[in-house]
């Protein structure tokens, strides 16, 4: 079965601390992968996308970076968190060609 | 300037009624329009999608009506149920690869029993 898994489920971090969020896809090789950010009660903003290992395209600059170290893994990170980084981070993938992305369960981040 | 606009931030209907959620867009190059349903605390789930070559797409109780000339579309939810209460997002992109998918602000639907 093809599955998407995000970790951790939730994080509470201090301003200025580093962050690393992960996403793993099982059951599909070379999927297109995406990171989205959603403010509480807000819309979804695409941050990054990747179509292959080692290649990541930035859509919006929010003092975050992304990497794709393996075919089935997508990492979102920053060295220094800001208050504005709080929100819901969602990883998404394209399961079938020419179909809309499917989302993971998300990671809730609170920056204090 | 919002590229994808959802005219209502909230909508309330009674159980059994048809809920109509509206969406419009600016970019004529958009040709793929998925709708997502999101419950609190969960990731959005893909509900139904339409390509600009079609004017209607139906899947069970959910139907998209699409008007390319007017650059708008609507999601109709027939026989609404309390379990349909959620936020619905209209999205748009050029092509269906998912790259640079633009979302509207969402419409919070409440279905009263």
């Amino acid at each position: 079965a093809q599955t998407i898994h995000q970790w951790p489920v939730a994080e509470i971090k201090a301003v200025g601390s580093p962050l690393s969020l992960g996403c793993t896809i099982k059951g599909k090789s070379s999927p297109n992968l995406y990171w989205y950010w959603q403010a509480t009660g807000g819309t979804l903003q695409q941050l990054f996308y990747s179509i292959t290992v080692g290649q990541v395209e930035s859509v919006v600059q929010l003092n975050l970076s992304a990497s794709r170290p393996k075919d089935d893994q997508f990492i979102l990170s920053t060295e220094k968190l800001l208050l504005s980084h709080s929100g819901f981070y969602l990883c998404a993938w394209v399961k079938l060609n020419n179909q809309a992305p499917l989302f993971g369960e998300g990671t809730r981040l609170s920056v204090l | 300037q919002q590229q994808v606009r959802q005219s209502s931030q909230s909508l309330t209907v009674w159980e059994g009624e048809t809920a109509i959620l509206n969406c419009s867009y600016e970019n004529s190059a958009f040709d793929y329009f998925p709708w997502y349903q999101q419950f609190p605390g969960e990731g959005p789930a893909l509900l139904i999608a339409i390509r600009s070559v079609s004017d209607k797409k139906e899947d069970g109780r959910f139907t998209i009506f699409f008007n390319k000339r007017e650059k708008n579309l609507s999601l109709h939810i027939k026989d609404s149920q309390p379990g349909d209460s959620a936020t619905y997002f209209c999205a748009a992109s050029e092509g269906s690869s998912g790259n640079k998918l633009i979302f509207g602000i969402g419409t919070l639907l409440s279905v009263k029993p």
Side-chain angles (χ1 to χ4, degrees), chain A residues 39-52:
Chain A
T40 301
T43 188
L44 292 100
Q45 171 68 64
Q46 193 177 99
L47 302 176
F48 299 94
Y49 69 88
S50 171
I51 60 173
T52 192

Side-chain angles (χ1 to χ4, degrees), chain B residues 22-86:
Chain B
N22 296 308
C23 179
S24 61
Y25 61 98
E26 297 289 328
N27 188 344
S28 302
F30 287 154
D31 59 3
Y32 184 61
F33 303 87
W35 284 84
Y36 289 85
Q37 177 191 58
Q38 186 178 31
F39 295 105
E42 297 182 9
L46 177 64
L47 200 58
I48 186 172
I50 193 167
R51 299 179 198 283
S52 60
V53 293
S54 302
D55 55 16
K56 182 181 174 182
K57 178 79 177 289
E58 197 169 345
D59 185 355
R61 295 187 296 113
F62 302 96
T63 304
I64 299 175
F65 292 93
F66 180 73
N67 186 324
K68 188 171 183 175
R69 189 171 56 87
E70 299 291 328
K71 290 196 279 187
N72 61 46
L73 60 157
S74 59
L75 173 69
H76 291 225
I77 306 175
K78 234 179 349 187
D79 187 24
S80 297
Q81 302 296 311
D84 295 330
S85 298

Side-chain angles (χ1 to χ4, degrees), chain A residues 32 34 36 38 41-44 46 49 51 59 88 90 94 97-106 108, chain B residues 9 32 34 36 38 40-46 49 51 89 96-106:
Chain A
N32 285 7
Y34 308 87
Y36 282 81
Q38 184 179 32
T43 188
L44 292 100
Q46 193 177 99
Y49 69 88
I51 60 173
V59 177
F88 199 35
L90 293 145
V94 174
N97 289 338
N98 297 321
Q99 188 190 54
L102 305 177
F103 288 85
E105 319 97 332
R108 175 74 56 191
Chain B
Q9 284 196 269
Y32 184 61
Y36 289 85
Q38 186 178 31
E42 297 182 9
L46 177 64
R51 299 179 198 283
F89 290 96
S96 52
S97 66
N99 300 346
K100 300 186 183 178
L101 187 64
I102 308 291
F103 280 77
I105 59 168

Side-chain angles (χ1 to χ4, degrees), chain A residues 28-99:
Chain A
K28 180 170 169 68
S29 61
S30 303
N32 285 7
L33 297 175
Y34 308 87
W35 276 112
Y36 282 81
W37 174 77
Q38 184 179 32
T40 301
T43 188
L44 292 100
Q45 171 68 64
Q46 193 177 99
L47 302 176
F48 299 94
Y49 69 88
S50 171
I51 60 173
T52 192
V53 174
Q55 285 188 21
V56 177
E57 299 294 329
S58 172
V59 177
V60 166
Q61 287 289 341
L62 285 179
N63 293 307
L64 295 167
S65 60
S67 64
R68 187 159 176 186
K70 299 184 199 175
D71 187 53
D72 64 352
Q73 201 172 77
F74 205 17
I75 306 295
L76 184 71
S77 60
T78 183
E79 296 281 315
K80 262 184 162 179
L81 278 165
L82 307 172
L83 283 174
S84 57
H85 285 137
S86 292
F88 199 35
Y89 287 85
L90 293 145
C91 182
W93 65 306
V94 174
K95 185 175 176 180
L96 297 172
N97 289 338
N98 297 321
Q99 188 190 54

